[in-house]
Amino acid sequence: MRVYPILIFSILAGGLHSASLPNTRPLTLDGDLSVQMVAGIDRFLMRETTTTAKRRADFWKRDYRTAKTYVASIQKNRARFRTLIGAVDKRLTINALEFISTTTASSLLYEDKVMSVHAVRWPVLPGVHGEGLLIQPKGTLRARVIALPDADQTPEQLVGIAPGIPAVAQFARRLAAAGCQVVVPALVSRSDEFSGDARVRFTNQTHREWIYRQAFQMGRHIIGYEVQKVLAVVDWFAAENAKQPIAAPITVAGYHEGGLIAFYSAALDTRIQVALVSGYFTERNRVWEEPIYRNVFGLLEQFGDAEIASLISPRALVIEHSKIPKLGGPPKVRPGRGSGAAPGILATPSTTNLWAEYERAKKLSAKGSHIALITKDGNNTLDTFGTDRALEALLGFANVIPKANWKTSKQPAKELQSKSPRHRQQRQVSELVEHNQRLLRFSEYERTESFWGKLPPAEAAKWHAECEPHRKQLWKEVIGQFPAANLPINPRSRKILETDKWIGYEVVLDVWADVFAWGYLLVPKDIKEGERRPVVVCQHGLEGLPIDAVTRDEKERAFRYYKGFAAELADRGFVTFAPHNPYRGHDAFRVLQRKANPLGRSLFSVIVPQHNRIIDWLETQPFVDKTRIGFYGLSYGGKTAMRVPALEPRYCLSICSADFNEWIKKNVTVDARYSYLFTGEYEIFEFNLGHTFNYAEMAALIAPRPFMVERGHKDGVAPDEWVAYEFAKVRRLYANLGIPERTEIEFFNGPHSINGKATYEFLHRHLKWPKQ
């Protein structure tokens, strides 16, 4: 990590030439302020996580009078939960499970006197199928069960027709021996075998992360998809029950990742009468440590595991405290594969946390609810899963009298066992990839209907107000909004740079406890008394620092990208401010996004208030014209140029350099090397942005203020065609508003960098500052 020395020049007496700016305290902070900023935001987010859990009750209006009134009172919470996990698509009608057979292989994989096992699949969404095994018991059917293995287990292992799970833990087979009809879906695994695209590259992301990245941007989730597969089986079970004089109870049971899916499925569907959750139940405030495919945007605002359990109430829930395998991170990078998978760990939940969450679940649930906790010796972790006591509780709550001797049923002999089909996993992955790509292809139509269709361009003067509902949607539902700064601004400064044309100050401003804004202010020396100048806020990119926007040392790597644009503009007479945005430190800052997302927030939930505070302070400076504060950002600073001015109307214009493009496509497509799907920027994805705001829609929230794109032909961010396509929608809007002169794009024959030609002209023109 680069650390630039802070150079203190000779201090001149009085006014702007003193060691500190007027009306500021001396800045005495030492060390790397970037590292300190990220650490402070981390502490802030950890406090917010604790505070959010305490505020959770405000979102619930439980009516405990009767079971019926209780269920009705939590419907809004259930609907919210469904949206958060992306289980929102209408499922296809299912009339029957399909046997999977070919001219060389039968669907029947095993049969004895107790049961038969078939390979099956079933429709879920257009082009998406569930796939797994159907165990049909011989004799009277006592219950219908969906049994979910862990993501690193196969249905064949859980049934006992493939090695890998001890016989005592083969709960799918054991429930069939008890007289239950059992469907065992295959989960998307943690392997990386099919992650990537042969036409582009492969990656070390697990299959679950590979699907998660695409789905998250489109308002969907790997969790939601697998819940949908379970609920499609529930649809079939319910249809089969309708044909019988007495309906068989419908239950779900799952271990580890399968426990999560079983838990969430039962929370959504009241037709599930009993749920058994093994190896997944605990206090969830550290979900940010878990693999990223468990990242659910906004989950912790309303839901811990106890609240999810209360969605199952007054139906029955069995929690089995079983060990899970430790997971230390994603697959190691192998030859021929790219890196970039997100970190994440899994470990057996602590008994203390589990018990505390279990007690909370009991208090929150309806009167008469059945919640059983199965442990070892009363208070310890079980060595295995699917134990006799857990299965007995499941069957007992379902009022099922099992067949005799079901506990002693034998698994098939080794010579009768079969391999788990490799291509099934490939189909499960590829179907979900194609479904995500279909959502991508059609997302523009949805944005057209939800945004442009509701906002026909009218008068430019009215456009900002007409966009306000969409601005609130972007801030509250996509980026996530924290309350405004709650500390006095407490400005501190020190002089650090000086040229013959301007003086540079380092400035720190308070936002919240542990959170501050920080940057370099360059003040031209020729400002006359009482004169107010325009300001350009010059934003650095990924892993950058304020000095990067200032330095004109051609030996510095930063100069290749930024060309010292903050200093160049100060030479031209503009006041410039180069703020620090906290996207620096690799995983140190990316984990901030992981901590913010479960709260329904993002890194920009912090960055926007930091910029609010910067403008608050700039407006008080006697040499600043507060009506002429513009924004100019490169790369990640260009991302800021699309988001912050869209939400902060005091930025009177915005220039997006080296970032503007068909943003949704860049995040979701598997067909281009430009896609973030293949890179290490796992924090970049924003929940449901694909159906709400592309860059054209964000630019529309900036309108009618001037907006410009700076684009190098040799910039590897995206091809020119993507950039031009998206900008054409912006140009059309400004033309329809009657202000085409307020937007433009400059294509220059260069790389990912500031060009500083047409953009400087744009700033002079729209900030009304003459060239010097």
Side-chain angles (χ1 to χ4, degrees):
M1 185 179 294
R2 294 167 297 142
V3 179
Y4 287 93
I6 294 176
L7 304 176
I8 305 295
F9 289 83
S10 60
I11 300 171
L12 305 178
L16 294 177
H17 296 262
S18 64
S20 301
L21 283 162
N23 301 314
T24 68
R25 293 168 49 218
L27 176 59
T28 58
L29 286 173
D30 292 323
D32 189 328
L33 297 194
S34 172
V35 171
Q36 294 176 41
M37 178 184 287
V38 169
I41 294 170
D42 189 282
R43 293 191 295 274
F44 168 76
L45 290 173
M46 292 304 292
R47 286 199 306 273
E48 282 296 309
T49 299
T50 300
T51 302
T52 295
K54 294 176 181 178
R55 291 195 299 254
R56 206 172 281 155
D58 296 342
F59 293 93
W60 296 77
K61 306 297 179 186
R62 295 181 179 86
D63 185 341
Y64 289 106
R65 289 177 296 169
T66 66
K68 187 175 181 179
T69 61
Y70 177 85
V71 171
S73 70
I74 62 173
Q75 287 294 36
K76 287 184 178 180
N77 306 91
R78 197 189 315 280
R80 178 63 175 166
F81 184 64
R82 184 186 303 277
T83 298
L84 295 181
I85 66 170
V88 295
D89 296 300
K90 184 179 180 181
R91 293 188 298 278
L92 297 175
T93 301
I94 178 171
N95 297 314
L97 303 188
E98 304 170 17
F99 287 137
I100 300 175
S101 61
T102 67
T103 55
T104 59
S106 169
S107 68
L108 182 63
L109 303 179
Y110 174 77
E111 186 171 21
D112 60 20
K113 295 180 181 180
V114 178
M115 69 190 77
S116 61
V117 181
H118 286 268
V120 294
R121 74 171 195 165
W122 56 95
V124 183
L125 304 171
V128 177
H129 298 81
E131 198 168 334
L133 302 180
L134 168 67
I135 315 178
Q136 198 69 31
K138 301 290 179 71
T140 303
L141 190 153
R142 288 165 165 77
R144 304 183 194 272
V145 183
I146 301 162
L148 294 144
D150 178 46
D152 285 339
Q153 298 170 340
T154 67
E156 288 76 13
Q157 290 174 323
L158 200 61
V159 174
I161 61 174
I165 295 178
V168 69
Q170 295 165 7
F171 61 85
R173 176 186 58 78
R174 300 178 73 216
L175 287 168
C180 301
Q181 180 187 56
V182 183
V183 173
V184 191
L187 296 192
V188 172
S189 77
R190 298 189 191 94
S191 165
D192 65 355
E193 183 177 5
F194 307 116
S195 296
D197 191 290
R199 297 163 296 179
V200 184
R201 77 183 85 152
F202 286 97
T203 170
N204 72 323
Q205 298 165 35
T206 65
H207 295 154
R208 300 187 74 79
E209 180 177 349
W210 175 241
I211 299 300
Y212 158 86
R213 288 192 181 202
Q214 303 164 45
F216 194 82
Q217 194 83 0
M218 304 310 299
R220 306 298 190 273
H221 206 289
I222 178 64
I223 292 172
Y225 285 146
E226 294 196 320
V227 166
Q228 290 276 54
K229 292 181 180 185
V230 170
L231 299 189
V233 178
V234 174
D235 294 340
W236 180 64
F237 280 169
E240 291 297 294
N241 275 345
K243 302 173 186 177
Q244 307 299 323
I246 300 177
I250 297 173
T251 68
V252 294
Y255 168 66
H256 196 359
E257 210 71 42
L260 183 160
I261 302 302
F263 189 37
Y264 284 19
S265 298
L268 283 192
D269 200 320
T270 58
R271 296 174 297 178
I272 296 172
Q273 293 166 251
V274 187
L276 165 58
V277 177
S278 181
Y280 183 87
F281 189 87
T282 189
E283 186 269 336
R284 203 57 63 181
N285 279 3
R286 298 187 73 85
V287 67
W288 54 269
E289 288 184 320
E290 299 177 30
I292 198 167
Y293 49 78
R294 289 187 175 184
N295 178 46
V296 175
F297 188 77
L299 178 72
L300 295 182
E301 186 174 53
Q302 292 189 25
F303 306 100
D305 280 6
E307 283 78 14
I308 297 171
S310 77
L311 291 177
I312 298 173
S313 175
R315 294 165 291 136
L317 172 63
V318 181
I319 301 165
E320 186 179 49
H321 186 28
S322 59
K323 287 184 180 178
I324 63 171
K326 285 187 177 180
L327 180 71
K332 294 182 179 179
V333 179
R334 295 178 282 131
R337 288 185 178 270
S339 60
I345 60 173
L346 290 172
T348 302
S350 77
T351 301
T352 301
N353 286 348
L354 182 143
W355 269 101
E357 199 69 5
Y358 167 66
E359 292 297 334
R360 280 208 320 118
K362 289 196 299 182
K363 291 178 181 178
L364 294 175
S365 296
K367 296 177 181 178
S369 294
H370 299 290
I371 305 179
L373 176 58
I374 310 297
T375 63
K376 179 182 178 181
D377 302 327
N379 199 36
N380 296 311
T381 308
L382 293 159
D383 297 320
T384 188
F385 55 91
T387 59
D388 287 352
R389 288 190 294 134
L391 299 184
E392 287 171 343
L394 173 74
L395 296 171
F397 286 141
N399 295 317
V400 170
I401 300 175
K403 287 183 177 180
N405 304 319
W406 66 276
K407 295 180 186 178
T408 57
S409 64
K410 304 292 185 182
Q411 74 176 102
K414 288 185 178 180
E415 59 270 18
L416 298 177
Q417 294 181 358
S418 59
K419 293 182 179 180
S420 302
R422 172 176 175 269
H423 293 298
R424 178 180 61 204
Q425 184 65 208
Q426 186 176 27
R427 287 192 296 270
Q428 292 292 285
V429 173
S430 62
E431 284 185 357
L432 289 176
V433 168
E434 179 51 36
H435 183 73
N436 288 328
Q437 299 307 300
R438 185 174 185 272
L439 290 174
L440 168 63
R441 290 192 296 272
F442 284 90
S443 63
E444 184 167 13
Y445 299 112
E446 187 159 335
R447 292 193 304 273
T448 297
E449 180 179 344
S450 63
F451 188 94
W452 301 106
K454 294 180 179 179
L455 282 175
E459 298 176 36
K462 297 179 180 179
W463 181 254
H464 179 85
E466 289 174 340
C467 286
E468 192 58 25
H470 295 278
R471 189 171 291 105
K472 289 180 179 178
Q473 181 188 20
L474 175 63
W475 201 342
K476 293 183 177 181
E477 298 178 21
V478 179
I479 287 176
Q481 185 176 10
F482 280 124
N486 60 7
L487 290 181
I489 201 163
N490 187 23
R492 288 92 77 201
S493 70
R494 60 189 166 204
K495 178 181 170 183
I496 55 170
L497 300 166
E498 184 172 5
T499 72
D500 59 336
K501 292 187 176 181
W502 48 261
I503 298 175
Y505 296 89
E506 187 173 25
V507 179
V508 171
L509 313 167
D510 287 338
V511 182
W512 302 297
D514 290 320
V515 179
F516 59 88
W518 163 53
Y520 288 2
L521 177 74
L522 308 187
V523 184
K525 289 182 174 180
D526 62 350
I527 297 178
K528 299 179 177 62
E529 185 176 354
E531 181 187 6
R532 293 182 179 271
R533 293 274 182 98
V535 180
V536 182
V537 174
C538 301
Q539 187 63 63
H540 66 73
L542 180 65
E543 298 295 335
L545 288 164
I547 191 65
D548 293 343
V550 177
T551 184
R552 286 183 283 196
D553 184 348
E554 295 185 8
K555 296 178 182 179
E556 289 291 345
R557 185 170 180 267
F559 181 77
R560 288 165 29 200
Y561 303 107
Y562 299 101
K563 307 292 176 63
F565 73 127
E568 289 291 327
L569 289 167
D571 283 353
R572 290 170 175 252
F574 295 98
V575 175
T576 65
F577 189 86
H580 184 60
N581 275 3
Y583 35 66
R584 181 171 179 261
H586 304 285
D587 284 339
F589 90 80
R590 292 191 165 102
V591 77
L592 300 181
Q593 184 87 327
R594 290 295 317 274
K595 291 182 177 182
N597 272 187
L599 308 178
R601 308 293 191 271
S602 67
L603 197 56
F604 276 98
S605 302
V606 176
I607 291 172
V608 173
Q610 286 177 316
H611 279 263
N612 295 154
R613 180 104 304 184
I614 288 166
I615 297 179
D616 289 344
W617 180 73
L618 285 173
E619 288 182 336
T620 68
Q621 300 310 297
F623 49 83
V624 167
D625 182 346
K626 67 179 182 180
T627 68
R628 292 186 289 165
I629 302 176
F631 190 95
Y632 187 178
L634 174 83
S635 193
Y636 263 56
K639 292 172 181 51
T640 310
M642 298 309 303
R643 290 160 179 78
V644 174
L647 300 176
E648 174 48 90
R650 290 179 294 175
Y651 278 126
C652 70
L653 63 77
S654 182
I655 300 175
C656 177
S657 178
D659 184 68
F660 189 93
N661 70 100
E662 220 282 30
W663 182 251
I664 305 305
K665 187 173 185 178
K666 180 174 174 63
N667 280 269
V668 182
T669 185
V670 299
D671 297 327
R673 64 181 177 84
Y674 311 99
S675 177
Y676 275 123
L677 292 182
F678 302 98
T679 71
E681 284 95 340
Y682 56 82
E683 85 291 345
I684 207 76
F685 306 97
E686 296 159 289
F687 187 67
N688 203 30
L689 191 70
H691 287 117
T692 52
F693 298 93
N694 205 337
Y695 271 7
E697 287 77 25
M698 291 186 197
L701 298 183
I702 295 171
R705 292 165 287 164
F707 172 73
M708 184 176 179
V709 171
E710 185 176 46
R711 162 70 190 179
H713 289 307
K714 299 175 183 178
D715 193 332
V717 164
D720 285 341
E721 291 82 356
W722 291 12
V723 177
Y725 177 81
E726 192 68 10
F727 182 76
K729 291 179 274 187
V730 180
R731 178 65 172 75
R732 181 175 58 208
L733 169 65
Y734 277 73
N736 286 337
L737 289 172
I739 49 172
E741 73 284 355
R742 294 189 193 176
T743 191
E744 62 183 89
I745 185 169
E746 179 197 27
F747 287 98
F748 66 95
N749 194 28
H752 187 76
S753 70
I754 296 289
N755 191 45
K757 292 183 173 59
T759 52
Y760 290 179
E761 296 285 338
F762 188 84
L763 289 168
H764 279 292
R765 183 166 65 255
H766 291 289
L767 292 180
K768 299 179 176 62
W769 181 249
K771 298 178 188 177
Q772 295 182 345

